[in-house]
């Protein structure tokens, strides 16, 4: 099973600032099958990025993903008020699919 | 646009079987290359992947739950289901059904349903 570690646990930033979130895998994620999700309180997760760097339908271009192998990054170029949420990475390159523990982005 | 909706009891007694159904609308559950999955989230915690049933009928379960989990499909009703046996308080969570086209990244999610295990 691939274990995903996310850092930092919490990121305190102001609107307009850049957010950089990290996801590290315990072994290489095949074919860069790495996704990022955003979750707000009381809501289901929403797919942001798949295939490590492809934006899902309707996702603003301030969200970008990068990385390969064991190290992946989600960048939010300029935080909008609606971006304060918890972000999860997920690998689907090998079963069982696994999620990281999440990074909370909150308002400084 | 595919939409998913979970249904089932919100309260289950310890040692009993948790049963949930996910109704798929806006598309056929048996049309090609979909992974239909269950994912859960204990209150205040992260996401745990339970397993999937592929459109072909093959299944894969999280090894940590494998002995207690069954995921099945009813194509006539456009639904898929989760059964989790011998539940304990540790199985209390919001249960989400989710769908993925072609890969395993989840494009479609239900709203989630809270299941509490308590006597």
């Amino acid at each position: 099973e691939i274990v995903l570690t996310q850092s930092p646990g919490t990121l305190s930033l102001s609107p307009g600032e850049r957010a950089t979130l990290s996801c590290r895998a315990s072994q290489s994620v095949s074919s860069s099958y790495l996704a990022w999700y955003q979750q707000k309180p009381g809501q289901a997760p929403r797919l942001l990025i798949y295939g490590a760097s492809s934006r899902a339908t309707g996702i603003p271009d301030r969200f970008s993903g990068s990385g390969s192998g064991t190290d992946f990054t989600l960048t939010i170029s300029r935080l909008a008020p609606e971006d304060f949420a918890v972000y999860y990475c997920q690998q689907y390159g090998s079963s069982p699919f696994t999620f990281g523990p999440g990074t909370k982005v909150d308002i400084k | 646009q595919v939409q998913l909706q979970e249904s089932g009891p919100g309260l289950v007694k310890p040692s009993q079987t948790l049963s949930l159904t996910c109704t798929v609308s806006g598309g056929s559950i048996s049309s090609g290359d979909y992974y239909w999955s269950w994912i859960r989230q204990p209150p205040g915690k992260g996401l745990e992947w339970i397993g999937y049933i592929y459109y072909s009928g093959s299944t894969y379960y999280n090894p940590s739950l494998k002995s207690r989990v069954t995921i099945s499909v009813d194509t006539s009703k456009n639904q898929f289901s989760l059964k989790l046996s011998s539940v304990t308080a540790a199985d209390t969570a919001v249960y989400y059904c989710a769908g993925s086209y072609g890969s395993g990244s989840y494009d479609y999610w239900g709203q989630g349903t809270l299941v509490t295990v308590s006597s």
Side-chain angles (χ1 to χ4, degrees):
Chain A
E1 172 177 326
I2 295 178
V3 176
L4 300 178
T5 304
Q6 292 186 242
S7 61
T10 302
L11 196 53
S12 296
L13 295 168
S14 300
E17 289 193 294
R18 182 184 187 90
T20 303
L21 287 66
S22 174
C23 177
R24 179 162 290 177
S26 61
Q27 53 189 284
S28 184
V29 177
S30 65
S31 304
S32 293
Y33 283 155
L34 193 286
W36 290 93
Y37 300 86
Q38 177 193 69
Q39 187 179 35
K40 297 179 181 178
Q43 296 184 16
R46 177 175 70 145
L47 179 65
L48 300 175
I49 301 288
Y50 64 94
S53 60
S54 297
R55 271 188 302 276
T57 302
I59 301 304
D61 61 6
R62 64 180 180 272
F63 291 93
S64 63
S66 63
S68 63
T70 60
D71 289 303
F72 299 88
T73 300
L74 174 70
T75 301
I76 310 171
S77 59
R78 294 183 57 145
L79 281 163
E82 61 268 28
D83 297 339
F84 292 92
V86 179
Y87 293 83
Y88 295 95
C89 58
Q90 177 224 348
Q91 70 80 22
Y92 51 100
S94 64
S95 297
F97 301 165
T98 50
F99 290 90
T103 290
K104 183 177 182 180
V105 178
D106 64 15
I107 299 176
K108 189 174 182 180
Chain B
Q1 175 73 348
V2 174
Q3 294 184 310
L4 307 179
Q5 178 68 58
E6 305 91 349
S7 59
L11 181 64
V12 180
K13 288 181 167 49
S15 80
Q16 293 190 342
T17 296
L18 178 160
S19 295
L20 295 173
T21 296
C22 183
T23 300
V24 179
S25 59
S28 171
I29 200 168
S30 56
S31 61
D33 216 17
Y34 273 97
Y35 293 83
W36 302 108
S37 297
W38 290 95
I39 294 159
R40 70 180 183 179
Q41 185 170 37
K45 297 189 178 180
L47 300 164
E48 180 180 25
W49 185 81
I50 298 172
Y52 67 68
I53 186 162
Y54 196 39
Y55 80 105
S56 62
S58 62
T59 55
Y60 193 98
Y61 304 134
N62 191 322
S64 68
L65 299 169
K66 184 178 181 179
S67 63
R68 299 193 291 131
V69 172
T70 303
I71 298 175
S72 59
V73 165
D74 185 337
T75 55
S76 67
K77 295 182 179 179
N78 226 36
Q79 296 175 334
F80 64 103
S81 298
L82 169 70
K83 290 189 185 300
L84 181 65
S85 64
S86 305
V87 297
T88 70
D91 295 309
T92 293
V94 174
Y95 285 76
Y96 294 101
C97 59
S100 168
Y101 182 74
S103 61
S105 59
Y106 292 102
D107 315 83
Y108 311 110
W109 293 74
Q111 65 186 26
T113 187
L114 174 63
V115 178
T116 302
V117 178
S118 175
S119 56

